[in-house]
Amino acid sequence: MKENSMSNVKVYKKGDIIFRDGDKIQSVQMIQSGGVSTCFIRPKKNVELFQVGPSHILGEVGLVGGSTHPYSAIATAETKVLEIPVDVFKQQVDAGAQSTKILIKSLIERLKQALSDVKSNRMEKDSSPCPEDQVAKIFGTIYH
């Protein structure tokens, strides 16, 4: 990853991990060029949720209280992103009209539900073994 010190623009090479699921959300990334695979990283094969490209945003759940990324993001080509700290982006949203804030919150909540549905569907179809770091979490959920 190459960083432009004059701005919050970062350039990732194909295969670079932009963030991993579970990482703390520190910024909203606006994709300017390139492409990103949103996925769950697995030892043998990643489980892809969807791909996004220019004019798409990553990290948006941080605007409605999400503290960690619900998936990983990997550059599928050289990708340029503009990173805006979550608190700065949130201030811009909060300064907008009430109807805009309601619309943004509604869209993000709908996106979270759609992401959950896609995740369930893709994970059901994934035949790879459960990652070691998830075993305790899954069995803890089942028995509680």
Side-chain angles (χ1 to χ4, degrees):
M1 186 232 0
K2 182 172 67 175
E3 190 170 341
N4 180 339
S5 61
M6 297 298 289
S7 67
N8 291 333
V9 174
K10 291 187 178 177
V11 178
Y12 295 89
K13 292 183 283 185
K14 180 179 180 175
D16 282 351
I17 296 172
I18 299 170
F19 56 78
R20 294 180 183 272
D21 61 297
D23 284 355
K24 184 175 188 220
I25 299 175
Q26 298 183 19
S27 61
V28 174
Q29 292 93 3
M30 301 176 80
I31 302 171
Q32 295 182 323
S33 64
V36 174
S37 170
T38 61
C39 62
F40 295 102
I41 298 173
R42 297 295 181 253
K44 294 187 181 194
K45 182 183 172 194
N46 294 342
V47 178
E48 185 172 75
L49 299 172
F50 51 90
Q51 290 194 16
V52 292
S55 301
H56 283 88
I57 294 176
L58 301 169
E60 69 284 339
V61 295
L63 299 174
V64 292
S67 61
T68 61
H69 290 286
Y71 50 79
S72 297
I74 301 173
T76 57
E78 182 173 283
T79 302
K80 185 189 300 185
V81 299
L82 173 63
E83 290 193 347
I84 303 169
V86 171
D87 55 340
V88 171
F89 201 100
K90 195 167 175 24
Q91 287 173 3
Q92 292 173 354
V93 170
D94 290 344
Q98 185 65 25
S99 58
T100 302
K101 290 190 276 190
I102 292 169
L103 174 65
I104 290 171
K105 182 174 173 141
S106 174
L107 291 173
I108 292 172
E109 290 299 327
R110 196 174 312 160
L111 177 63
K112 284 170 50 177
Q113 182 59 52
L115 176 63
S116 176
D117 292 348
V118 169
K119 177 182 175 181
S120 292
N121 185 320
R122 298 284 163 85
M123 296 307 259
E124 283 176 17
K125 292 179 181 178
D126 180 33
S127 61
S128 60
C130 183
E132 291 293 324
D133 63 336
Q134 296 295 313
V135 172
K137 182 193 243 183
I138 291 168
F139 283 105
T141 303
I142 292 171
Y143 290 109
H144 281 62

